[in-house]
Amino acid sequence: MRVTVFTEPHRGASYDDQLRFARLAEDGGFEGFLRADHYQAMGDEPAPPGPTDAWLTLAALARETSRIRLGTLVTSATFRLPGPLAVMVAQVDQMSGGRVDLGIGAGWYEREHTSYGIPFPGVGERFDRLAEQLEIITGLWRTPPGETYSFTGDHYRLVDAPALPKPVQVPGPPVIVGGRGPKRTPDLAARYADEFNMPFKTVAETAAAYERVREACDRAGRAESGRAPLTLSAGIVVAIGRTDAEAQRRAAPLHVTSALPPEDAVVGSPAQLVDRIGEFAAVGATRVHLRLIDFADLDHLELIAAEVLPRLDGTR
């Protein structure tokens, strides 16, 4: 099982907070440090010091870490144009020596778009734009050196793009597509992604999503085309402790009113988290993203590194 740390800096974290957390995760044996791509907290209270840009942060982390994988869960397709995003991610991949994952989604949190003047079209158009962005980004990365890339869609048009820079990873950084959508999300994952992620739901809901994406892969002829099978991953909200009181203290932020949909958290002991990861493995997950809430709670991260990772196969 591959285990990453997933963080939400929009809840309130500086770059230095994230650097400290990423370095500790690297030292503790986690495979990756992934972060959300949001510009605003989702509760009613302000979250100082304010937002940090995901890709600006990851570029800096790429130069201040050496092993851990870095990426987004997930970049919002509404925030950036696909051509510049392909350049941005390829550059960070170069800066990291080939350690980047691009998680990308349609975008959903309307309030942050309104706050920062970002257009927020209807859900159908957002998914249409996401599909075109996936086609463009992967197309630019796969264009052979010395050739150009052009694309004409309903929302984006590229003419003779030089398709540079090239990422270190060939044909490009792994693309993560995920979510709870029953049709378009599995279809996009089957066509474009290297990993499908089901975020923060029950094992049963996750298993059902995996079945939908397997069916989408069959419809798309993914195996016949010679592409590798999708990595299946699960997101897990985590609040564990050495005692029940410690776990409940860490779970307190989960009870604050938020725009997020209901989630299935693991609140309890390290053994309970090991068991939950095993349940996800039984339905096909080979990677889990553990969502930790408090950047100041370094002991939480160290507890998982010491008491959970050694009990899982293939984490180090």
Side-chain angles (χ1 to χ4, degrees):
M1 181 63 71
R2 300 160 59 195
V3 184
T4 78
V5 175
F6 170 64
T7 63
E8 297 182 316
H10 56 275
R11 290 177 178 265
S14 67
Y15 170 72
D16 287 339
D17 294 330
Q18 294 170 75
L19 173 60
R20 183 169 54 248
F21 217 71
R23 282 177 166 169
L24 188 60
E26 182 169 72
D27 292 344
F30 290 89
E31 185 211 31
F33 173 90
L34 281 75
R35 57 154 288 167
D37 186 12
H38 284 292
Y39 288 129
Q40 191 165 346
M42 295 169 190
D44 294 329
E45 298 298 321
T52 52
D53 181 82
W55 285 102
L56 187 62
T57 299
L58 294 172
L61 293 178
R63 307 303 288 180
E64 300 197 75
T65 58
S66 61
R67 177 195 60 80
I68 201 164
R69 294 196 65 81
L70 303 165
T72 49
L73 273 182
V74 293
T75 284
S76 176
T78 57
F79 288 173
R80 302 168 185 90
L81 296 172
L85 179 59
V87 170
M88 192 181 308
V89 178
Q91 181 180 354
V92 179
D93 197 52
Q94 290 182 356
M95 293 168 70
S96 70
R99 294 184 283 125
V100 164
D101 295 333
L102 170 62
I104 185 168
W108 65 273
Y109 188 36
E110 184 174 7
R111 190 171 84 171
E112 67 186 334
H113 292 74
T114 303
S115 294
Y116 286 97
I118 303 168
F120 187 73
V123 64
E125 182 178 331
R126 295 202 307 276
F127 270 92
D128 291 342
R129 287 179 176 273
L130 172 62
E132 291 189 15
Q133 289 216 3
L134 286 162
E135 179 70 35
I136 291 164
I137 291 166
T138 57
L140 285 166
W141 290 342
R142 286 178 167 82
T143 299
E147 297 185 14
T148 61
Y149 175 83
S150 297
F151 174 87
T152 299
D154 293 331
H155 303 285
Y156 306 104
R157 183 169 181 259
L158 283 72
V159 180
D160 295 335
L164 296 171
K166 293 300 183 195
V168 172
Q169 298 175 92
V170 178
V175 173
I176 306 170
V177 170
R180 306 167 184 87
K183 182 170 175 53
R184 296 200 69 178
T185 298
D187 287 345
L188 290 173
R191 289 176 60 194
Y192 297 107
D194 301 283
E195 176 178 331
F196 172 80
N197 175 255
M198 183 60 165
F200 317 124
K201 303 303 285 185
T202 67
V203 174
E205 289 171 302
T206 300
Y210 289 171
E211 186 57 32
R212 290 193 295 270
V213 82
R214 290 186 186 104
E215 292 170 356
C217 288
D218 290 342
R219 290 194 301 270
R222 186 181 177 104
E224 291 78 5
S225 70
R227 292 190 64 192
L230 272 173
T231 295
L232 300 176
S233 67
I236 309 175
V237 181
V238 175
I240 65 169
R242 297 170 185 83
T243 66
D244 184 63
E246 187 174 70
Q248 292 298 328
R249 173 179 60 78
R250 288 179 168 138
L254 303 178
H255 306 301
V256 176
T257 301
S258 167
L260 289 168
E263 299 165 328
D264 189 46
V266 175
V267 180
S269 67
Q272 287 174 274
L273 178 55
V274 171
D275 289 345
R276 179 67 61 83
I277 292 172
E279 292 170 358
F280 279 117
V283 300
T286 58
R287 195 183 197 197
V288 291
H289 305 288
L290 306 183
R291 194 180 100 195
L292 305 183
I293 295 172
D294 185 359
F295 275 95
D297 190 359
L298 301 181
D299 180 66
H300 197 191
L301 187 64
E302 291 175 326
L303 176 62
I304 297 170
E307 301 294 335
V308 175
L309 295 191
R311 299 173 63 179
L312 305 173
D313 290 334
T315 58
R316 294 177 183 270

